[in-house]
Each structure stands twice: as C-alpha cells, then as structure tokens.
Amino acid sequence: MRVVVQRCKEARVSVDSAVTGAIGEGLMLLVGVTHEDTEKDAKYLADKIAGLRIFEDEAGKMNFSVTDTGGAILSVSQFTLYGDCRKGRRPNFMAAAAPAEAERLYDYFNQELRAGGLQVETGVFGAMMDVSLTNWGPVTLLLDSRG
C-alpha cells in the first residue's frame, strides 16, 4: 500500500461539482493499493499516519501528530500511485489491485483511522474527482507498507 501524505491547511474533494469531503487543518491522503496488500498493510499505515509527527510545536519543531493537534484527514483513493512509467509514454497500471479488493482495503484503512479517533472525510472510490488543497509547509511524504 502506498500513501502520499500532505500536511494541509484545508482540502476538499468533489464529484460532479458536489463536495464529498472537506477538512480544515490536517492531512490530505492519496491512497493506492496493490495486489499483495492485506489488512495488515492498511492497519500499519493507518497507525503510522495517525502518529506521524509532522506538525510543529511552539519551538517550530515537528513534534505533533494529526491526532495530537485534533486535525482531520481527507482520504482519496488513487490507483495511479501504482502506475509504472518506465517503458513508453503511457503508464502501466498492472500493479494496482483489482477495484473490488482495492475498495475493500481502502475502506478498511479509513475505518482504522476512524477507530483511532480521527475525523476522516473521503472522496468516492472509482469516481472522477476534483481534489484541491492548500499544502502547509509544504510537507509531503510518501509512505509504503512494503518498505
């Protein structure tokens, strides 16, 4: 599983001009699932993200997590994180999990974040979405459950 984590001041996602999820300060997540991923991968990343210390304390050091700050999460499914661009000019998405399994693990990942007490907003799995955010810092990290 891969997740692009972006610390944000605000973020929103809409489908057909209707907002499906919006947050203030917190984390914007782009979430990709591959064939070998399991609930263990989803739980590992949910726990990692909930505790990731990327929010600044009074001294300007990154010492607080989204959990510590009471921030929210906007989670958006993103199969293109498994796009392979090494050959040709068109990405190959063979490494992305089949939609049914990807959606199951994406939902499980979001449930794990919520179980940790976080507010989680989402897009619509498989839909064409418009995503906007104000990246704060900017701070952007790429996490992968496989190392």
Side-chain angles (χ1 to χ4, degrees):
M1 229 174 154
R2 289 183 183 154
V3 180
V4 175
V5 178
Q6 296 176 300
R7 186 177 72 179
C8 65
K9 291 193 176 185
E10 63 181 1
R12 74 179 59 244
V13 60
S14 57
V15 176
D16 295 329
S17 300
V19 174
T20 63
I23 63 168
E25 290 183 3
L27 299 175
M28 166 71 203
L29 308 179
L30 301 175
V31 182
V33 179
T34 192
H35 301 288
E36 297 83 25
D37 289 335
T38 66
E39 290 178 357
K40 182 178 177 183
D41 295 285
K43 180 163 180 40
Y44 166 78
L45 285 175
D47 291 344
K48 174 68 87 174
I49 289 164
L52 200 58
R53 298 187 314 165
I54 59 174
F55 291 88
E56 296 172 353
D57 63 16
E58 341 34 76
K61 300 229 187 252
M62 290 185 179
N63 275 328
F64 294 129
S65 69
V66 68
T67 303
D68 298 329
T69 63
I73 289 183
L74 178 61
S75 175
V76 176
S77 61
Q78 187 72 53
F79 79 93
T80 61
L81 290 178
Y82 281 99
D84 183 349
C85 299
R86 292 177 290 181
K87 293 183 181 178
R89 296 182 184 263
R90 183 177 307 156
N92 174 326
F93 299 108
M94 298 287 290
E101 182 62 7
E103 184 173 15
R104 185 186 76 76
L105 286 174
Y106 169 70
D107 289 343
Y108 181 81
F109 169 77
N110 292 325
Q111 290 170 3
E112 286 296 307
L113 289 168
R114 289 183 184 110
L118 290 164
Q119 173 195 345
V120 179
E121 299 286 322
T122 65
V124 176
F125 187 91
M128 182 64 72
M129 295 176 272
D130 295 324
V131 180
S132 64
L133 80 145
T134 302
N135 193 321
W136 186 5
V139 174
T140 301
L141 301 166
L142 176 60
L143 302 180
D144 195 315
S145 63
R146 301 290 167 148

